[in-house]
Amino acid sequence: MKDMHDFWADALRKYWGLDARLTRLDGEYDLNFLVEAKNGQDYVLKVMRAGCEPEFVDLQVKALEHITSEAPGLPFPKVLPSLDGAVLPEIEDKDGHPRLAWLLERLPGQCYAKVEPKSEDLILKLGRVLGATDRALTGFAHGSLQRDDFKWDLVKGGWIADQLDAVSDPSRRALLNEIVQGFTAISDALNSLPTQAIHNDANDYNILVEGELSERRTISGLIDLGDMCAAPRVCEVAIAGAYIVLDYPKPECALTALVRGYHATNRLSAEEVDLIWPMLRMRLAVSVVNSTLMAAENPDDPYVTISQAPAWRFLENEAVNGGLMSARLRSACGLPVVDGAERIHAYLSEHRGHFAEMFGQDLSDVPMGSLSVENSTWPQNPFHMPLEEAARVGEEFGEGLWLGYYNEPRLIYAEPGFRKGPWKASDRRTVHLAVDVFAPAGTVLRAPMSGRVEVVENRDSHLDYGGVVILHHETPEGDPFYTLYGHLDPEVCDRLKPGDPVAQGAAFVRLGDASQNGGWAPHVHFQLALTTDGMEADWPGVADPDELELWNAVCPNPAALLNLADDKVCYQPTDKQAVLQGRHDHFGGNLSLTYNDPVMLVRGWKHHLFDEWGRPYLDAYNNVPHVGHAHPRIQAVAADQLKRMNSNTRYLHPAQAAFADKVLSKLPDHFEVCFFVNSGTEANELALRLARAHTGAKGIVTPDHGYHGNTNAAVAISAYKFNKPGGIGQADWVELVEVADDYRGSFKRDDADRAQKYADLVYPAIAALQEKGQGVAGFIAETFPTVGGQIIPPKGYLPAVYEKIRAAGGVCIADEVQTGLGRLGEYYFGFEHQGALPDIVVMGKPIGNGHPLGVLVTTKEIAQSFDNGIEFFSTFGGSTLSCRIGKEVLDIVDDEGLQDNARIMGDRLMAGLKQIESEFGCVGDVRGMGLFLGVELINPDGSEGTEICSFVKNRMRDHRILIGSEGPKDNILKIRPPLTIEAEDVDMILWALRDVLKGVGDYAPAPVCDHDHHHAGCGCC
Ligand SMILES: Cc1ncc(COP(=O)(O)O)c(C=O)c1O
C-alpha cells in the first residue's frame, strides 16, 4: 500500500510539481487520492483504471472546464494541468501500465447521504444547482455524449421491460409493469424534447454539502461526472428526485422543493414537469431491476438486496398521491395546474353575473359570516367538535342567508382525520376551499351552469358531507372543470346518477338538515376544481395552510359561479408582516420577539396555541397559563364577576378572604398575612419594602443571574438585567453570590459538601454589606434559579443560607413566581424541596393564569413592622376579579389533579430527556423537577452551546413546539409547559427534540480568540 502511495506522490511531484501526502479515497475501479499538498491546498488525484476509455475521461474533463468557465460560481472543481500543460497526462504505473491521471481541486463539505436532516431548504438549493448546471451545459458538445446501450440513460430505460421476470414477487412485478406502461405512455413526449449534456447521476454520494447547523447548509459540490450523457434535461430532475424522495418523511414535499429549485434557475415547461413523476418512478424501477439482475449474478452478496429496500419502500408507499403530483409540481413552478386553466378562468370571469342564481336570488348583498381562527370561537375545544356545537355553528349570524368565506382558516375541522401526523400539533388541514351558503334546511339549489353528474353519494359518517354531488362542466373550448355541492339532503341519491345531465338553472338538490348533512348547521359547501386527478370523488374541502399554493390552484375561488366578486368571499387573515411592522412602528426595540420567524398566536386551548392560519403549536414554554389556555372555568368566573362588579380592597368582598384562605392553606402555618398586587415585580418590590421596614437595614444578598422584575428596585436585585451590557450596574446595597449550579459552578455534583460550600459564599456578601454600612435587610432568590439556567440547588442549600442571613439580622424571601403552585410535581413550592422556611414568599405569573396578579405572603410579625401608619394600597391588586380568578386557578390545580400530573408528566419527560442525553454529545446536562426542566446544550469542548441552543429552539418551533432558552450564555432549553400537558405531548417533545438534535451533528463554533488563548488563524498573534 505504502509503495503505491509513494509512487503516486512521486508522480504528483514530477507531473504537477506538488509535494503532498496522499490518502486513498473510495473508488470502485479507479484510484482516487486525497492530496494534502505542502502548499496548504487540498486536491483530488484521479488515476483511471488501466485500459479505460480515454474519451469518457476526456468528456468529464472537458465538461468540468466548460462548466467552470460558463458558470464559475457553481460548485465544480477546477482541473489543474500538469507542469507541461496537459490536463490528462498518461503516466505509467509501477507495473508499467499506462494510466490516465488528472488532478482536481478538492471541494469542501460532506456527502449528502451523511447529512441530517435533509431539509427542504437544502433540497431546494440542490435543485437550483442542478438547474444552473444544466443551463451551463446547454452549449456543451462532445463526441462521447451519445452513449449506446447505456443502461443509465433514462430515456432508454425501457430495456427493463424484457427483464421483469427476474423479479420473483408477482405483486412487485405487477407494480413494475405498471411503471413501465406509464413510461411507455410518455415516451413520445419524452422523445420530442431536445437533448443536451446532463450530469445524469445526482445521487446522495455525488452531492457535497457544506455548513454548520442545518439551516445554513449549502450545496458545495456536485461530483463524479462519469455517467454524463445527452438526454432531455428533465431526466436530471427525475434522477435526482429518485434519490431525494427515498425514506423522506414527506417525499412529495422533497420533490416539490427540488423541482421548485431547478425551475428557479432553469425554467421548465408544463409538459416537462408532467414527465417528472413517471420518470422518477421509472428510474427507481431501473435501479431495482438492475440490482435484481446483479443479485442473480452474485447470489451471495446481501448488499444488492439491502440497497433495493428504500426504493421498494418508496414505490410501494401508497400514502404518496401520484395522481396529484403533476398539479403539485406545476403549481410549485407557477405553471397552470391544467393546460386549460387560463381558459377556464377567463370563461368564469366573463360569465360572472350571468350564471343561474343558485339560491334563486342575487347574493351580492347577503352578509358574510366569519368562522376563522381569529374571528370565531367555534368549537370551544379546537381538538373536538361535538355534534351539538356543529349543528349550531355560526348561529350568531342569524337564521337568514349568510355566506362563509373561501380560503378561511377554521378550527371547526377538529377531528383527527384532518390531522396529517400523529400529534395534536401535527400539520392540520384548516383552510376552507369552498364558499359556504348558510340557509334553512330544505332550501332548493339551482345549477349555476349546465353540466352532468359525475358523483352523487351519501357520505353519512360523522361530520362528513351527507348528500354530495359533483358536476362536470366544460368551457366552449372543451376544457373540463368541476363543481361540488356538499351537505345536501341525501334524497338526491334516489333521483340522480352519474352521467345524468343537469341543465343550467335546474333545481337539482336541496340542503339537508343536521341529521342528513353530516351533523352541521344547514348550508352548502360549494367548491370548484379544475381537475379531479388524484382526488377523484374525494376532494379535500379544506387544505393544509402550508399547501395553499397547490390547493388554491386546483380549487380556485368559486365566486364567479355565484355571480359574486372574488374579493367579497375571499378571506384575508391578519397580515403577520403588517402586525410586525406595527410593532416596529409603535414599540421600543427592546420589546423582544421570540424566533427568527416570529409566530402570531390568536387562539389557545389547554397546552396548545394556534396561529392565524390555524397551525397548532404545542406550548411547552409558557408557565403563565398554569391550568391551560382558555380554561372554561376561568372564562366563566371572569365573565361572571365582570357582569356583577369589579372593585378594590377599600371595600369588603368575600372573595378577598376566600382567596387569602386558599393561598394560605397551601403554606406552612407561620404565614398568616397576604398582600395582593398586580405582578411578580410588584410583589418583589413590596418584599423589599417589608424586609427593610422589618430590619431597618437596606442591603440585599442575591444570587447572580437572578430575575425578579422590571421596576427600579426589582432590576437592582436582578443581575440578569443590571449586569448585562447597557445595564444599570450593581447598586451599592446589593451583593451577589454565585448561583448554586452544581453542573457548571465552582462546586460540582461529585462534591458531597457542595450545598454548604455554596451557602458559605453568603458570608463575604454579608460582610461587604455591613462594611458599606448597608446592613442586611435580607436575601432574595428564585427558589430554583430559572434565568440562571433552570437550576436545582443541592438539597440543604437554602436552609444553610437562611441561617446565616437570619444570624446577620436579615429576612429570607423566596421568589416562587416560577416554581410555585404545583409545577414541581412533588412539591407545591420549591422551598419545600429544600427543607427551608422563608419569611416572605412571592407568587406571580401562574397564579392569575394570564390575569395580572401577584401575591406576597408573610408572617404576622413582618406585616406588623410594615404597618407603620402609611396606607398600603394597590388599585388593581386584590380587585374582586383578581381574587376570584386567583382562587379559581388554585381550585383548578386541586380539582384537576394538576400537581400530580406535573409529577407524572415531568417524570416521563425527564426519563426521555435522560435517554436523549445519553445519545447526543451536545446535550451536557438534563435537570429539573416536575414540569420545570432544563436541557443544557454544549459544544464539543464542553463550553456553552449558545448557537446550538438557538438552532434547536428555532427548529423546535418549525416542529410546532414552543420552548424557551435560558442561562447566562443562553444555552439551556427551558421546558415549562402548562400543567395540563399529556403523555402524547411529552412524546412529541421527545420525538421532535431527537429529530432536531440530529441536525446539530458535530457542529462546533469557530474558536473565539480571547487574546490569552490563541488559536490557529486568529490573526492577533
Ligand atoms: C422569578 C421571577 N420573579 C419575578 C418576575 C416578575 O414578574 P412579572 O413579570 O409578573 O412582573 C418574574 C418574571 O419573569 C420571574 O421569573
Side-chain angles (χ1 to χ4, degrees), residues 344 347-348 351 354-358 445-454 469-476 478-485 496 499-508 526 528-529 561 563:
I344 298 166
Y347 171 83
L348 293 174
H351 288 76
H354 302 288
F355 291 107
E357 302 287 8
M358 197 188 290
L445 267 61
R446 295 167 193 282
M449 66 177 286
S450 63
R452 64 162 202 271
V453 175
E454 182 95 0
V469 169
I470 296 177
L471 298 183
H472 170 285
H473 311 277
E474 268 177 27
T475 62
D479 298 304
F481 63 95
Y482 308 83
T483 50
L484 178 147
Y485 309 77
L496 292 179
D500 284 354
V502 174
Q504 179 170 32
F508 75 119
F526 175 57
L528 164 68
L561 285 154
N563 298 322

Side-chain angles (χ1 to χ4, degrees), residues 679-682 684 707-710 782 786 815 817-818 845:
S679 66
T681 303
E682 195 185 341
N684 280 324
Y707 181 65
H708 300 285
N710 63 64
E782 300 168 69
T786 174
D815 182 336
V817 167
Q818 295 275 346
K845 288 182 186 268

Side-chain angles (χ1 to χ4, degrees), residues 823-884:
R823 169 162 300 279
L824 302 174
E826 211 174 323
Y827 307 99
Y828 202 83
F829 289 103
F831 63 77
E832 296 166 20
H833 162 265
Q834 288 283 310
L837 186 62
D839 304 305
I840 295 175
V841 175
V842 165
M843 288 159 258
K845 288 182 186 268
I847 202 161
N849 212 59
H851 182 76
L853 187 50
V855 174
L856 178 153
V857 294
T858 189
T859 60
K860 213 151 221 149
E861 223 188 329
I862 294 178
Q864 271 161 5
S865 306
F866 184 57
D867 183 10
N868 55 4
I870 299 169
E871 181 201 20
F872 168 73
F873 180 62
S874 170
T875 304
F876 303 113
S879 76
T880 337
L881 178 64
S882 297
C883 290
R884 287 206 56 199

